Amino acid sequence: MSTINQEPLTEEKSLNFLEEIIENDIAQGRTTVYTRFPPEPNGYLHIGHAKSICLNFGLAKKYGGKTNLRFDDTNPVKEDVEYVDSIKEDVRWLGFQWAEEHYASDYFEQLYEWAVKLIKKGKAYVDDQNQEEIRQGRGTVTVPGRNSPWRDRSVEENLDLFARMRAGEFADGEKVLRAKIDMAHPNMLMRDPIMYRIIHSEHHRTGNKWCIYPMYDFAHGQSDSIEKITHSICTLEFDVHRPLYDWFIQELDIYPSHQYEFARLNLTYTMMSKRKLLQLVQDQVVMGWDDPRMPTISALRRRGYTPESIRMFADKVGVAKRDNVIDFGLLEFCVREDLNKRAQRRMAVLDPIKVVITNYPEGKTEMMSCVNNPEDESAGVRQVPFSREIYIERDDFMEEPPKKYFRLSPGKEVRLRYAYLIRCDEVIKDADGRVVELRCTYDPQSGGGSSSDGRKVKGVIHWVSVPHACPAEVRLFDRLFVKEDMDNMEEGKTFLDYLNPDSLRVVTGYLEPSLMEAAPGTTFQFERLGYFCVDKDSTPEKRVFNRTVTLKDSWAKLNAR
């Protein structure tokens, strides 16, 4: 049963079970550590893949080994060069470089020869049954399967039919090649699994050279063996595949790669089925694979997540032997921790009220020195224009404030960040009673954090000068789904029923001028608002910013009410 992991974060690190296995291997003289990351290029990588990438590359690096990138391109119908390129970009962006780049299609000829070897050993046969007949013949967990009527074909007939399958004489689904193991085996995957199927479709690398393609279980272990992978690390759902992985290697008498399984990553409010993510893209529910609401690595990158934050997240999640569900808040915690250290601060107002400082000279502009990052002295300071008219956040004013409200209200004072103390003297409303302008006065002697008579105020708010403010499109992203555990949906409902209607809100923000020169991908902290990233849709004429994450976990507060 899955559990929500909300345990307190600790810095103590003990060896995980995979590290224990490797260290035991090393102690017994098996010093080589070769791992691989083997994605199928049928979609974009997501945060779950990021954990696997960090694990495979991290283990090899720790123990002086190497990691290959191998594309499991055995289904030409679903695979594309676009996905290959995106996967390579994601792995590099996360900070890793593979030792060798391979494709399962590199080994098609060798795999074919090995299939012929199994036929000659009497361990494989060509079956004329269709997919449904094969499924029904497998039996159930409690009922053994039944042998195919074609199971006892002669070696010569099987060799002839398999060669003709390769030559393209048969239609899709007309024949398959199956391993001959045991139709009563307690592991359903061992009941004469399919090794090859016929697919007349152009492959992204081999073109139309092949019309038969190996199944995952026949290609994967043998590809590991060819590359002499010592530790083939898979997610937990592949544990039932391990006996078949070992069977093929043993029957072929090839390099004995070995498979190990760890718990896959499950996140609250997140869905990681590539098939369902593809549906979101195709149905235009989202803007694409890199829509910042998606759990893909490219989406997280576009949203403003850093590779350091994702590696930190993978490290804190750790390696488990049983499935659990990790709180999405941990991922947000990691990006806040990282961006707090590296992101420069800027001021922006997303829901403005205009403030007129009536005793400030008209036409005057002065430059205020603002700290770029209080966590990094080397980041220096910048100059921000200040004038008689400024914008402040609507949330920073309340006409009838409760006790312990320290922001602006009638007759009360507040400090403008890096600037002066102001006092609200007059509130101007429109015909509907909405506050549209505040008339304030300032203390000219209160710059730099002091005041003319030494008085102190608790409230500090940010601002942007009206004549210098630069409008920009600001996209306020939130979680794509409202359900915590997307793996357990109510009967009769689909994942589309749990879409969050407030996952994207677009507003016009008013930003300090320095933000207009920022390049796409640059991340900032908008003071008191959150972390924001320049989106790739930005142009010199129109700047677009994505909210990466709020400063605090507002979602947890909202759902705790």
Side-chain angles (χ1 to χ4, degrees), residues 473-505:
E473 179 180 312
V474 180
R475 299 169 180 172
L476 304 176
F477 292 102
D478 217 323
R479 298 172 190 184
L480 188 56
F481 297 100
V482 295
K483 183 172 175 58
E484 187 174 48
D485 185 357
M486 288 297 293
D487 283 337
N488 293 296
M489 289 176 274
E490 297 171 38
E491 187 176 352
K493 290 193 174 184
T494 73
F495 68 99
L496 296 174
D497 294 312
Y498 298 103
L499 287 168
N500 178 10
D502 299 317
S503 65
L504 171 60
R505 185 164 59 93

Side-chain angles (χ1 to χ4, degrees), residues 8 19 57 60 105 122 173 205 262 270 274 278 332 348 406 424 435 474 484 489 503 513 541 557 561:
E19 290 169 333
F57 282 88
S105 55
R205 295 186 75 242
F262 71 100
T270 307
K274 278 202 278 189
L278 176 60
E332 294 180 324
F406 300 120
C424 179
V435 176
V474 180
E484 187 174 48
M489 289 176 274
S503 65
E541 296 76 29
K557 283 186 178 180
R561 290 174 185 171

Side-chain angles (χ1 to χ4, degrees), residues 140-145 182-191 240:
T140 67
V141 175
T142 56
V143 177
D182 181 0
M183 290 302 292
H185 199 287
N187 183 335
M188 299 282 288
L189 290 176
M190 299 293 283
R191 296 181 183 179
V240 294

Side-chain angles (χ1 to χ4, degrees), residues 10 89 167 176 189 213 220 277 285 325 404 555:
T10 63
E89 181 182 5
V176 296
L189 290 176
Y213 291 91
H220 185 64
L277 294 177
V285 175
V325 182
K404 296 186 178 181
W555 182 277

Side-chain angles (χ1 to χ4, degrees), residues 127-144:
D127 194 348
D128 292 2
Q129 293 182 106
N130 61 37
Q131 186 175 356
E132 180 59 23
E133 289 170 334
I134 291 173
R135 187 191 66 79
Q136 291 180 355
R138 280 216 169 93
T140 67
V141 175
T142 56
V143 177

Side-chain angles (χ1 to χ4, degrees), residues 385-404:
F386 181 85
S387 66
R388 189 172 188 265
E389 296 183 353
I390 60 173
Y391 288 129
I392 66 169
E393 288 288 345
R394 186 167 296 276
D395 284 349
D396 284 336
F397 172 79
M398 190 173 288
E399 195 168 8
E400 297 179 4
K403 289 182 179 180
K404 296 186 178 181

